Amino acid sequence: MINKTAHRGAYIHIPFCDHICYYCDFNKVFMKNQPVDDYLDALALEMKGYGADGLPETIYVGGGTPTALNEQQFERLFIDIEHYLMNPSIKEFTVEANPESLNEAKLKIMKRFGVTRLSVGVQTFDNRLLKEIGRAHGANDAANAVRLAQEHGFNNITLDLMFALPGQTETVLHESLERALSLGIPHISIYSLQLEPKTIFYNRMKSGTLKLPGEDFEADMYGQIILELEKHGLHHYEISNFAKPGYEGVHNSMYWHNEEYYGIGAGAHGYWKGIRYANAGPVKKYIEHVCKQGNARVSEHEVTFTEKMEEEMFLGLRLMRGVSVEHFKEKFGRPIEQVYGKQLEQLKARGLIHERDGRLAMTPKGVFLGNNVFEAFLIS
């Protein structure tokens, strides 16, 4: 019998895009001439295998661009999700969408199949910057897409924004935040630009043609973001995430609480039964693997006891609430001070973490130096 209440999530990857953004290093391919229908066949087969092992409490469909699928393909995806993975007591069902490919028909499909949350990739409301980073939509397209979703009953919407973009000023950032807040959305995820190999921006940086803000300016922007969003009632609950009470991301919180989840689709990563695994990335290789073995795993790593404790710390400390001292002891059978006493003393002495109400969390100073905090627990 399938356990319908087991605590787990499912991430489903749609790698297709109508265009490639200059900063993106996710597993993605141009949509044109891709075997999309064959991919959906393989995706359904992989879903079937994991669904038989227990239905997830959360589902997150990401990409790539899930809304790049046409209406027929999009509906087929949700038919398969409903058949193989849908839990009657689902806690959260999120789908990523881009403004230029989100339309009324797709919103109706998502509503019919029980999607509870939309993640809209906006990045900025500045038209010049949108062109600079290779986005296909304009600022008004993004605002209109959000309003259309709201008209169709989607009130739990999160916007993805970016900062420290080429040529971005604090004024431009402020205007984007104000435009986002004016839409009445309850959640914002905001990330600084990261230069990753094999991206257009990385190549421009190497050639010296990409001008980026310095670290101090980036820190000033981050401080501005925290102040402005909290002033408008979106509390800072994770390093890069802000929400009105009750709208915190359930699926992503599962990652930060170091819980297990299925990773389904080309290039997806999963963590299941103590094993972290990665699927084949190229679409055709993914299809071949699933057809041969029922899943697409090309690498597996059994997480050691020490690694589980490390992950509990550096993932949990991303949350502003931090890590529960009592929960750590219950989970691992050892007091947290016994395992990480030296690191905790050093971080406290530097003013980067503190302990309150039985929880270890980053101080405001620690939030700005998060990588220094996380690295302290990587001792294996």
mmCIF file of all heavy atoms in Angstrom, residues 5-6 10 27 76 79 97 146 208 271-272 289 295 308-310 373:
data_model
loop_
_atom_site.group_PDB
_atom_site.id
_atom_site.type_symbol
_atom_site.label_atom_id
_atom_site.label_comp_id
_atom_site.label_asym_id
_atom_site.label_seq_id
_atom_site.Cartn_x
_atom_site.Cartn_y
_atom_site.Cartn_z
ATOM 1 N N THR A 5 0.945 9.753 3.351
ATOM 2 C CA THR A 5 1.243 10.853 4.270
ATOM 3 C C THR A 5 2.731 10.962 4.589
ATOM 4 O O THR A 5 3.112 11.694 5.475
ATOM 5 C CB THR A 5 0.461 10.670 5.584
ATOM 6 O OG1 THR A 5 0.826 9.416 6.186
ATOM 7 C CG2 THR A 5 -1.033 10.674 5.334
ATOM 8 N N ALA A 6 3.557 10.205 3.872
ATOM 9 C CA ALA A 6 4.990 10.251 4.150
ATOM 10 C C ALA A 6 5.541 11.645 3.881
ATOM 11 O O ALA A 6 5.076 12.362 3.000
ATOM 12 C CB ALA A 6 5.726 9.222 3.295
ATOM 13 N N ALA A 10 8.628 16.286 -4.158
ATOM 14 C CA ALA A 10 9.030 15.874 -5.504
ATOM 15 C C ALA A 10 9.361 17.118 -6.314
ATOM 16 O O ALA A 10 8.547 18.047 -6.391
ATOM 17 C CB ALA A 10 7.925 15.079 -6.183
ATOM 18 N N ASN A 27 20.086 23.252 -16.029
ATOM 19 C CA ASN A 27 20.035 22.316 -17.147
ATOM 20 C C ASN A 27 18.874 22.709 -18.061
ATOM 21 O O ASN A 27 17.715 22.589 -17.701
ATOM 22 C CB ASN A 27 19.848 20.890 -16.634
ATOM 23 C CG ASN A 27 20.019 19.874 -17.743
ATOM 24 O OD1 ASN A 27 21.010 19.881 -18.458
ATOM 25 N ND2 ASN A 27 19.031 19.013 -17.927
ATOM 26 N N ARG A 76 -0.852 17.531 -20.577
ATOM 27 C CA ARG A 76 -0.395 16.147 -20.445
ATOM 28 C C ARG A 76 0.519 15.982 -19.245
ATOM 29 O O ARG A 76 0.439 14.999 -18.506
ATOM 30 C CB ARG A 76 0.336 15.729 -21.723
ATOM 31 C CG ARG A 76 0.821 14.299 -21.660
ATOM 32 C CD ARG A 76 1.652 13.959 -22.853
ATOM 33 N NE ARG A 76 2.313 12.677 -22.604
ATOM 34 C CZ ARG A 76 3.262 12.181 -23.378
ATOM 35 N NH1 ARG A 76 3.638 12.831 -24.453
ATOM 36 N NH2 ARG A 76 3.827 11.033 -23.092
ATOM 37 N N ILE A 79 -1.648 15.809 -16.213
ATOM 38 C CA ILE A 79 -2.387 14.544 -16.157
ATOM 39 C C ILE A 79 -1.502 13.457 -15.545
ATOM 40 O O ILE A 79 -1.934 12.682 -14.681
ATOM 41 C CB ILE A 79 -2.864 14.125 -17.566
ATOM 42 C CG1 ILE A 79 -3.985 15.050 -18.040
ATOM 43 C CG2 ILE A 79 -3.342 12.670 -17.564
ATOM 44 C CD1 ILE A 79 -4.376 14.854 -19.498
ATOM 45 N N ALA A 97 6.898 29.817 -13.770
ATOM 46 C CA ALA A 97 6.331 30.369 -15.001
ATOM 47 C C ALA A 97 7.106 31.607 -15.412
ATOM 48 O O ALA A 97 7.566 32.368 -14.560
ATOM 49 C CB ALA A 97 4.861 30.736 -14.784
ATOM 50 N N VAL A 146 1.227 38.605 -13.617
ATOM 51 C CA VAL A 146 0.837 38.447 -12.212
ATOM 52 C C VAL A 146 -0.642 38.782 -12.029
ATOM 53 O O VAL A 146 -1.387 38.044 -11.368
ATOM 54 C CB VAL A 146 1.711 39.329 -11.298
ATOM 55 C CG1 VAL A 146 1.168 39.335 -9.872
ATOM 56 C CG2 VAL A 146 3.154 38.838 -11.316
ATOM 57 N N GLY A 208 36.505 40.491 -19.912
ATOM 58 C CA GLY A 208 36.603 41.836 -19.373
ATOM 59 C C GLY A 208 35.547 42.804 -19.878
ATOM 60 O O GLY A 208 35.691 44.018 -19.716
ATOM 61 N N TYR A 271 17.300 13.338 -3.264
ATOM 62 C CA TYR A 271 17.855 12.832 -2.003
ATOM 63 C C TYR A 271 16.817 11.871 -1.449
ATOM 64 O O TYR A 271 15.786 12.290 -0.926
ATOM 65 C CB TYR A 271 18.110 13.997 -1.054
ATOM 66 C CG TYR A 271 18.681 13.641 0.307
ATOM 67 C CD1 TYR A 271 19.511 12.528 0.480
ATOM 68 C CD2 TYR A 271 18.421 14.436 1.417
ATOM 69 C CE1 TYR A 271 20.044 12.222 1.726
ATOM 70 C CE2 TYR A 271 18.952 14.146 2.668
ATOM 71 C CZ TYR A 271 19.757 13.035 2.813
ATOM 72 O OH TYR A 271 20.275 12.731 4.054
ATOM 73 N N TRP A 272 17.094 10.589 -1.574
ATOM 74 C CA TRP A 272 16.087 9.600 -1.203
ATOM 75 C C TRP A 272 16.740 8.361 -0.595
ATOM 76 O O TRP A 272 17.719 7.850 -1.121
ATOM 77 C CB TRP A 272 15.258 9.213 -2.436
ATOM 78 C CG TRP A 272 14.132 8.274 -2.167
ATOM 79 C CD1 TRP A 272 13.873 7.086 -2.783
ATOM 80 C CD2 TRP A 272 13.103 8.436 -1.183
ATOM 81 N NE1 TRP A 272 12.750 6.501 -2.256
ATOM 82 C CE2 TRP A 272 12.262 7.303 -1.274
ATOM 83 C CE3 TRP A 272 12.812 9.422 -0.228
ATOM 84 C CZ2 TRP A 272 11.154 7.141 -0.434
ATOM 85 C CZ3 TRP A 272 11.714 9.253 0.599
ATOM 86 C CH2 TRP A 272 10.906 8.126 0.481
ATOM 87 N N HIS A 289 18.096 6.516 -20.559
ATOM 88 C CA HIS A 289 18.274 5.917 -19.230
ATOM 89 C C HIS A 289 16.946 5.482 -18.618
ATOM 90 O O HIS A 289 16.835 4.389 -18.063
ATOM 91 C CB HIS A 289 18.978 6.913 -18.292
ATOM 92 C CG HIS A 289 20.464 6.905 -18.403
ATOM 93 N ND1 HIS A 289 21.126 7.534 -19.425
ATOM 94 C CD2 HIS A 289 21.426 6.348 -17.616
ATOM 95 C CE1 HIS A 289 22.437 7.369 -19.263
ATOM 96 N NE2 HIS A 289 22.639 6.655 -18.175
ATOM 97 N N ASN A 295 14.671 4.845 -14.225
ATOM 98 C CA ASN A 295 15.083 6.155 -13.726
ATOM 99 C C ASN A 295 16.296 6.605 -14.519
ATOM 100 O O ASN A 295 16.770 5.873 -15.390
ATOM 101 C CB ASN A 295 15.368 6.124 -12.215
ATOM 102 C CG ASN A 295 16.547 5.240 -11.855
ATOM 103 O OD1 ASN A 295 17.654 5.428 -12.352
ATOM 104 N ND2 ASN A 295 16.313 4.269 -10.986
ATOM 105 N N LYS A 308 25.527 14.148 7.059
ATOM 106 C CA LYS A 308 24.154 14.507 7.427
ATOM 107 C C LYS A 308 24.148 15.593 8.496
ATOM 108 O O LYS A 308 23.331 16.520 8.454
ATOM 109 C CB LYS A 308 23.401 13.271 7.919
ATOM 110 C CG LYS A 308 23.046 12.280 6.821
ATOM 111 C CD LYS A 308 22.342 11.050 7.384
ATOM 112 C CE LYS A 308 22.017 10.068 6.274
ATOM 113 N NZ LYS A 308 21.379 8.834 6.793
ATOM 114 N N MET A 309 25.072 15.498 9.449
ATOM 115 C CA MET A 309 25.156 16.532 10.481
ATOM 116 C C MET A 309 25.625 17.855 9.892
ATOM 117 O O MET A 309 25.105 18.922 10.246
ATOM 118 C CB MET A 309 26.094 16.074 11.606
ATOM 119 C CG MET A 309 25.544 14.941 12.461
ATOM 120 S SD MET A 309 26.519 14.622 13.961
ATOM 121 C CE MET A 309 28.048 14.019 13.229
ATOM 122 N N GLU A 310 26.616 17.799 8.997
ATOM 123 C CA GLU A 310 27.082 19.019 8.339
ATOM 124 C C GLU A 310 25.952 19.700 7.588
ATOM 125 O O GLU A 310 25.749 20.921 7.695
ATOM 126 C CB GLU A 310 28.208 18.678 7.348
ATOM 127 C CG GLU A 310 29.502 18.228 7.992
ATOM 128 C CD GLU A 310 30.517 17.775 6.954
ATOM 129 O OE1 GLU A 310 30.178 17.717 5.761
ATOM 130 O OE2 GLU A 310 31.648 17.468 7.357
ATOM 131 N N VAL A 373 29.885 31.473 7.696
ATOM 132 C CA VAL A 373 29.206 30.642 8.696
ATOM 133 C C VAL A 373 29.049 29.223 8.182
ATOM 134 O O VAL A 373 29.391 28.260 8.870
ATOM 135 C CB VAL A 373 27.829 31.247 9.046
ATOM 136 C CG1 VAL A 373 27.094 30.331 10.023
ATOM 137 C CG2 VAL A 373 27.983 32.634 9.634
#
